[in-house]
Amino acid sequence: METPAIPMPNDAREQQILGRLMAIRDQLLLLKMDRTKYIRSQDVMVYYEQLVEQVKLLNEVRKGAHPGENRLDKVLESCFQLISLFFMTIGRTTDVPAAYALTSTVKRLLDHLTEAGLFSPKDLDSLSDTLGRLDGILKNGNAQHSPYLVELLSKREELCKKMLAKLREKLEELDKPLQTVYERLISIMRSMSLANTKKKFATSEVQKLQAKLKEIDESRVDGKFVDEEGNVLRGSDQVSTLLARCLRWSDIVLERKGQIPEAFRTIYKILTGVRNDLEKLSITQAWSLRETDLYDFQRELDKIDESRVDGNWVDDEGKPAELYVQRTLLYLIRRSYGYIYYLMNSSEPVSEALLPVYNQLQTLKRCLVEVKNSGGVSSVRELYPYSMKLNSIDNMRVDGKFMVGNDIPEGQGSVSELLAECFDLSYELRVAAEELEDGTANS
C-alpha cells in the first residue's frame, strides 16, 4: 500500500503520528497472522481506540487543511482497512468500522465498471442494495464511533451513489428489449474471458459462445436492432458497438488460446492465483474464511491495479500491453474484486469463535427444512439424530450463553435465534409424525 514514491510528512507532529500508526498497523498484522487462537473483541477494541486517538491528534494538527497525500495517509488507510476486517471477523458487521472495507471495495468496483463501460442491471442492483445497507449502518452508528470515520464513509458513500446513478442513466438510454440483449452480451463477454483464463484452454467452449454472438448479430435488420413493427430501438447503435466488440474479442481469444507474452506472465500468474484462491474461499467461506485474510488479497490487487500507466500495464521497456493482455489482466482483477465484495457481503454477524456452532446449526436447519418440504418423517424415531445434535448444542450454553473459556463472543443473539428456529422445525416435524403414527394406530 505504501511505495517510496509517496513522500514522508514534513510536519514533525505528523511524523510522530505516523510512527504510532505504523506500530498499530504492525500489531494488527501480527494479530491477523496468529491462528493459534480466535480473535477476541477486546483485542480489536484496544487497537481501534488507539487508532481513533491518533485520528483526533491528526485532525488537531491539520485543522481541516490537507497538505496533500503523504505516507501517513496511506498507513492510516491500511489501519482502517485492517480494523474494518477485524470488526467483520469478530461478528460486529453492523458497526461503522466494518463498513470501511466494504465501501473501499464498492468504490473500486464502480471505478472499474465506469472505466470498462460494461455492466449489467444485476451488477448495479447488488451495489445499490449494499450502499443502502451501509447507509443504515452509518445513520445508526453516528454517536458511538469516530466522527472522522463517519464523515469519511458518508462522503465515500455519497460519491458511490453518484457514480451508480450515472451508470443507471446509461442503461436507461436503451429500450427495454435491448436491455435484455445488452445483459446477454455482457454475460457472453464474461464467459469468454473466464474460458480464456482457465488452466486448460477449451476451444469448443469459446466457439459455442461465439455462435451465440452470431445468432444475436443475425437478429438485426440492416445492422440495426428493431421491434416487431420494424422500428429501430433506442440504443441500437450502442448495443451494436458492444456486439462488434464481443465478436472481435471472441476472434482474438480463439487466436491466442490463453497464451500470455513473457513480459506479462508474472502479473498474470499472480492474478490467476489470487482469483483461484478467492474462488475457493467463495465456495467454502462458511468454514474456512477469516475476513482479515482478505487484506492480503486486496493489497496485492490494489498494487497491480495502481501500477497501470494511463489505464494500461507497461513492460520493462515501457511498452504498453497489447489489447489481448490488457483485457485479460483487467478481467482477472475485476473478477477478484468481485469475489472480495461477495465474501465481505456474506460475512455473518457472529464471532469466528462461534462460527463452528453457527455453521452446524445452519446445516441442521437446511436439513430440517428439506425434510419438511419433502413430506416430513413417518416416525418420531427418524428425528432422533437431529434432536440429539440440537440438544448437544443447547447443552453447550452456560446461563444461556455460548462461552469460549471465560469469554462471551459476539453473535450470541444470532446463534440462539438459529438454535430456536431449529428446535421449532424439529417440534413441527415431531408433532406431524406423532399425528401420523396415531392415525395409523387408530385405523
Side-chain angles (χ1 to χ4, degrees):
M1 299 285 265
E2 313 109 58
T3 65
I6 298 167
M8 291 288 285
N10 293 321
D11 189 297
R13 293 168 298 173
E14 282 202 20
Q15 289 171 11
Q16 287 181 338
I17 293 169
L18 171 60
R20 289 192 286 266
L21 285 174
M22 288 174 77
I24 292 169
R25 185 195 58 188
D26 292 346
Q27 288 301 314
L28 288 169
L29 288 170
L30 285 172
L31 184 61
K32 177 181 87 69
M33 288 187 285
D34 186 358
R35 292 279 180 173
T36 59
K37 54 185 183 292
Y38 78 91
I39 294 166
R40 303 182 309 164
S41 294
Q42 51 266 48
D43 296 333
V44 176
M45 291 313 293
V46 166
Y47 296 118
Y48 174 63
E49 283 158 16
Q50 288 177 14
L51 181 57
V52 168
E53 185 57 38
Q54 295 311 307
V55 169
K56 281 181 189 171
L57 292 172
L58 181 61
N59 285 343
E60 287 167 18
V61 169
R62 289 183 173 173
K63 293 187 171 71
H66 199 300
E69 190 172 82
N70 59 39
R71 190 74 63 87
L72 187 153
D73 297 283
K74 280 293 183 184
V75 176
L76 181 61
E77 185 186 325
S78 292
C79 288
F80 270 126
Q81 191 77 10
L82 278 163
I83 279 287
S84 184
L85 293 168
F86 271 112
F87 266 75
M88 289 185 191
T89 304
I90 61 174
R92 295 178 67 164
T93 55
T94 56
D95 279 33
V96 169
Y100 186 94
L102 196 46
T103 55
S104 299
T105 306
V106 168
K107 171 69 169 57
R108 187 74 68 163
L109 287 171
L110 284 166
D111 283 338
H112 277 286
L113 292 177
T114 303
E115 178 190 31
L118 298 173
F119 46 87
S120 71
K122 286 177 187 171
D123 295 333
L124 304 191
D125 289 344
S126 173
L127 291 167
S128 179
D129 290 346
T130 300
L131 286 171
R133 188 160 55 80
L134 291 172
D135 199 34
I137 290 172
L138 293 176
K139 281 174 181 168
N140 294 332
N142 275 357
Q144 303 143 285
H145 291 283
S146 162
Y148 164 85
L149 182 56
V150 174
E151 185 186 358
L152 174 73
L153 292 178
S154 297
K155 283 180 181 173
R156 193 185 283 176
E157 188 205 7
E158 198 53 45
L159 176 62
C160 288
K161 283 180 180 174
K162 284 177 183 171
M163 292 177 76
L164 195 61
K166 281 185 182 174
L167 294 176
R168 279 212 189 278
E169 282 172 20
K170 293 205 169 190
L171 277 183
E172 284 161 12
E173 290 170 6
L174 310 177
D175 274 334
K176 280 284 180 192
L178 271 190
Q179 287 186 18
T180 307
V181 177
Y182 178 87
E183 190 167 0
R184 195 175 166 210
L185 288 173
I186 297 292
S187 176
I188 292 170
M189 175 82 98
R190 288 174 179 172
S191 296
M192 282 193 295
S193 295
L194 173 60
N196 178 50
T197 54
K198 284 184 177 175
K199 199 167 186 180
K200 189 177 179 185
F201 186 83
T203 303
S204 60
E205 195 177 333
V206 181
Q207 286 172 335
K208 283 177 188 172
L209 293 164
Q210 190 181 56
K212 289 179 182 178
L213 291 173
K214 288 177 178 173
E215 192 182 298
I216 294 170
D217 189 20
E218 287 162 10
S219 72
R220 294 190 295 168
V221 177
D222 297 327
K224 302 284 184 185
F225 287 98
V226 298
D227 61 17
E228 290 173 3
E229 283 79 44
N231 301 311
V232 176
L233 290 163
R234 189 165 52 92
S236 173
D237 288 347
Q238 293 99 304
V239 179
S240 293
T241 301
L242 176 59
L243 173 60
R245 194 172 161 185
C246 289
L247 283 164
R248 186 182 172 205
W249 181 234
S250 68
D251 287 336
I252 294 171
V253 167
L254 284 169
E255 182 191 329
R256 299 299 292 269
K257 292 184 166 54
Q259 295 303 308
I260 298 292
E262 186 64 43
F264 296 99
R265 210 164 284 166
T266 302
I267 292 180
Y268 178 77
K269 198 172 177 185
I270 292 168
L271 288 175
T272 49
V274 168
R275 191 271 313 267
N276 294 344
D277 287 345
L278 287 167
E279 185 177 26
K280 283 175 200 161
L281 277 174
S282 72
I283 296 165
T284 63
Q285 58 96 13
W287 302 95
S288 59
L289 176 69
R290 178 185 261 191
E291 283 81 357
T292 48
D293 294 341
L294 296 176
Y295 177 78
D296 295 325
F297 291 120
Q298 271 195 306
R299 208 169 167 213
E300 192 75 73
L301 290 170
D302 291 349
K303 192 165 62 179
I304 293 173
D305 197 15
E306 289 162 16
S307 70
R308 292 192 281 159
V309 178
D310 297 326
N312 200 355
W313 287 272
V314 294
D315 63 17
D316 293 339
E317 295 173 3
K319 291 177 186 172
E322 60 185 301
L323 179 70
Y324 172 72
V325 174
Q326 183 191 20
R327 281 204 189 164
T328 300
L329 299 182
L330 279 172
Y331 166 75
L332 288 167
I333 279 188
R334 288 165 185 166
R335 183 73 172 163
S336 298
Y337 278 128
Y339 277 127
I340 288 172
Y341 169 76
Y342 166 77
L343 289 163
M344 285 182 180
N345 262 328
S346 305
S347 183
E348 299 286 2
V350 172
S351 164
E352 67 170 348
L354 290 186
L355 268 181
V357 175
Y358 186 77
N359 290 332
Q360 286 177 54
L361 286 170
Q362 282 197 313
T363 304
L364 265 172
K365 183 183 173 182
R366 278 195 294 271
C367 292
L368 289 166
V369 167
E370 188 62 36
V371 169
K372 185 181 177 183
N373 291 340
S374 59
V377 293
S378 54
S379 72
V380 175
R381 184 181 292 276
E382 289 177 48
L383 288 172
Y384 283 176
Y386 302 109
S387 299
M388 286 171 67
K389 186 64 185 172
L390 283 172
N391 285 322
S392 73
I393 292 174
D394 191 28
N395 290 336
M396 289 166 65
R397 295 198 280 184
V398 178
D399 296 328
K401 302 284 183 191
F402 289 95
M403 306 282 288
V404 176
N406 294 321
D407 294 327
I408 304 174
E410 300 280 349
Q412 297 289 327
S414 298
V415 180
S416 295
E417 188 181 329
L418 193 52
L419 179 61
E421 285 176 25
C422 289
F423 270 122
D424 287 345
L425 280 165
S426 178
Y427 178 72
E428 283 176 37
L429 288 165
R430 185 161 61 83
V431 168
E434 284 172 350
E435 287 175 357
L436 187 68
E437 284 178 342
D438 288 347
T440 306
N442 292 334
S443 61

